[in-house]
Amino acid sequence: MKLIQILKVAVIPVLTGLSFLSTSNTALADYLNSEGVGGNYRYELWSSDDNSGYYLKIWLNEASPTSDPYSTTRAFTSSREALINFDCNYAEKNLPECSQ
């Protein structure tokens, strides 16, 4: 009987605490960095938790703010690369980077 009480009082809280610690280290989130408009489209620039990757969510200008994106791009290694992609492919800007 005492063994069960010891488990309830000592071991279970320790295991619970350890599970919270391991969960908090593995939880990753994406972060909204900026928003903008170009041509007939608007975008949100998102980054990974550690800023190792960036991607764009793109909507038509007239789309509802709560609607699903028209497109979500692949991952880019920098925010600059992602925004150049938007300018060249959606905003129809004529930048030197667009021909690459």
Side-chain angles (χ1 to χ4, degrees):
M1 187 70 168
K2 287 189 177 192
L3 179 62
I4 293 173
Q5 289 175 337
I6 291 171
L7 287 174
K8 284 182 181 178
V9 172
V11 175
I12 292 175
V14 169
L15 291 175
T16 302
L18 290 174
S19 69
F20 283 127
L21 288 175
S22 66
T23 302
S24 66
N25 288 335
T26 59
L28 297 176
D30 289 348
Y31 295 98
L32 178 61
N33 288 311
S34 66
E35 300 172 279
V37 176
N40 295 321
Y41 300 92
R42 58 188 166 85
Y43 70 85
E44 292 178 349
L45 175 64
W46 290 80
S47 67
S48 60
D49 190 37
D50 60 357
N51 289 328
S52 64
Y54 298 83
Y55 64 94
L56 296 166
K57 291 183 179 181
I58 300 168
W59 290 264
L60 291 169
N61 274 336
E62 64 270 5
S64 164
T66 58
S67 67
D68 289 334
Y70 166 80
S71 176
T72 301
T73 64
R74 64 178 173 83
F76 297 97
T77 56
S78 70
S79 59
R80 180 179 187 276
E81 184 184 2
L83 294 175
I84 287 171
N85 175 274
F86 178 82
D87 286 342
C88 294
N89 296 308
Y90 295 93
E92 300 176 359
K93 291 185 179 179
N94 189 13
L95 304 174
E97 294 90 338
C98 294
S99 61
Q100 296 178 357

